[in-house]
Amino acid sequence: MAKSKLTLFIFFYFAVLYTVKLAAADQNNEPFVGVNIGTDVTNLLSPTELVSFLQVQKITHVRLYDADQDILKALSKTKIRVIISVPNNQLLAIGSSNTTAASWIGRNVVAYYPETVITAIAVGDEVLTTVPSSAPILIPAIESLYSALVAANLHTQIKISTPHAASIVLDPFPPSQAFFNQSLSSVMLPLLQFLSKTGSPLMMNLYPYYVFMQNKGVVPLDNALFKPLTPSKEMVDPNTLLHYTNVIDAMIDAAYFSMKNLNVTDVVVLVTESGWPSKGDSKEPYANIDNGDTYNSNLIKHVLDHGGTPFHPEITSSVYIYELFNEDLRSPPVSEANWGLFNANTTPVYLLHVSGSGTFLANDTTNQTYCIAMDGVDSKTLQAALDWACGPGRANCSEIQPGEACYQPNNVKGHASYAFDSYYQKEGRTSGSCDFKGVAMITTTDPSHGSCIFPGSKKISNKTKAIANTTQTSDAAADHRLRRRFITLRGNQMSATTNALAFSILLLIIPFMIIC
């Protein structure tokens, strides 16, 4: 009898382990938003500073355009998941030699995994369209790297694929008529077969911005930006009667239909790049802060709310936003240097509106930000902006008058910062309210000092402890409401995981009840 009880206990024990493993896998399969990290940046943060910044911003997935060893070291033990890349100029060597491929895996993967959570290897970038001469070597390079992963017993943990430009898909709308450029069939078919066999994603760089710019008058701007549309403005696929309310869903489905035309139906699309520039020259008037904010904010919501696509509502593609920082060293046009969510000094280019859609990015309207004068601006220009803020802008400038709390330091920059922040907070921290003709910037660091408390500060005066206690209570209540809101919004997404864990606990209890 005791032996049978022990056998039963062992059975239940392993059932619990299996169920917990399933629950963890379910959680890991949740769609996510990551960021691309380009390095054409003056005074780029050190690897340690970069990783600390990622952690502060709650960024959990990143893509590198190489396999920078210092960054990989800095990512160790952080649980931040990273895609590393083989630059295009290394494809020939790796595709021509299994030894070189094995050496690359040993140097850039085995040396860091699992302390640094490498999830995938992107082999080249848009090889078929930017360096077509390297197309014949792409599949051999991928297979050589995969063989090296197999030898290291890492092939189930780390996926291998290659990012493509959207232009490899021809006739993309309606999506049901889309197909891969047939001149690329000798590469695409074996690639898709490899991705299917290894459970790897089809990596696509998808930019509704360029679709809109190339099809103005046909594609509505609102459709590109995820803005609500009237039914008459929705794009309808005449073959499937599926309605498309945004451009990126149509682009993703075009890739799915293109794969289907090659009889591949079990490969998931991973969007390795997507974004919208915040600044452009006269030829790119739609590259501006408001559109960049709107696109990326709505993209994040779409992913974290499990938006799916009309063709595959059950599958939500994860997305890497292009990109983390504005790359000021990029060549013209102006937009090339202005795809970032942040400036090189880590101040946000704009405030994303993603509160309630998850915990991705501290750079959103749930966090306190301030508007201050930029460094290095001449006093005359600052004075003009200060005069406007305190005059037509109707900022509250009483605290920077002689004898008041924010009069010191008595200089234009200090007074301008206070006036700018007063205006910015009064306007509800909306996009464009911290500009002042380019002399102001947004910061997450409270500029209050001494007895000078800036308008947007969460600091409180010590006039009475009662006021302090009341404020703290209301802040705690607000935090509680935010947490409750987050739990409610994510409830459906986590239900499978929660149910599995609950079942695990039940299985763990039953044996003890039987034995006892």
Side-chain angles (χ1 to χ4, degrees), residues 20-183:
V20 170
K21 186 175 180 181
L22 283 179
D26 178 74
Q27 195 167 11
N28 287 338
N29 289 331
E30 287 286 295
F32 61 82
V33 180
V35 293
N36 289 277
I37 302 177
T39 55
D40 288 337
V41 181
T42 303
N43 299 322
L44 182 67
L45 297 177
S46 71
T48 303
E49 291 171 331
L50 174 61
V51 170
S52 296
F53 178 68
L54 294 172
Q55 291 174 313
V56 167
Q57 293 298 330
K58 303 185 180 76
I59 294 170
T60 56
H61 293 75
V62 298
R63 175 185 170 218
L64 306 179
Y65 287 94
D66 51 22
D68 186 287
Q69 298 191 355
D70 291 329
I71 294 178
L72 291 176
K73 285 178 187 174
L75 286 169
S76 176
K77 299 179 180 177
T78 63
K79 296 184 180 178
I80 295 173
R81 296 166 178 265
V82 56
I83 294 178
I84 59 174
S85 302
V86 177
N88 289 344
N89 60 12
Q90 295 181 25
L91 286 177
L92 181 60
I94 289 173
S96 304
S97 167
N98 290 335
T99 303
T100 302
S103 175
W104 195 95
I105 292 294
R107 190 171 62 253
N108 299 302
V109 178
V110 176
Y112 302 103
Y113 190 88
E115 286 79 10
T116 298
V117 188
I118 299 168
T119 58
I121 301 169
V123 184
D125 187 40
E126 301 187 354
V127 174
L128 301 182
T129 49
T130 58
V131 280
S133 59
S134 295
I137 207 71
L138 183 59
I139 297 299
I142 289 173
E143 290 178 339
S144 294
L145 290 167
Y146 181 74
S147 296
L149 280 182
V150 170
N153 199 28
L154 293 176
H155 57 292
T156 58
Q157 297 97 314
I158 299 171
K159 304 302 180 183
I160 296 186
S161 189
T162 181
H164 298 288
S167 58
I168 68 165
V169 175
L170 301 183
D171 202 7
F173 196 86
S176 60
Q177 292 179 195
F179 58 94
F180 291 121
N181 186 331
Q182 293 177 346
S183 67

Side-chain angles (χ1 to χ4, degrees), residues 419-437:
F420 292 170
D421 192 53
S422 174
Y423 178 81
Y424 174 63
Q425 304 298 336
K426 175 177 74 73
E427 294 296 308
R429 291 176 285 164
T430 55
S431 295
S433 61
C434 180
D435 182 58
F436 299 96
K437 295 188 176 180

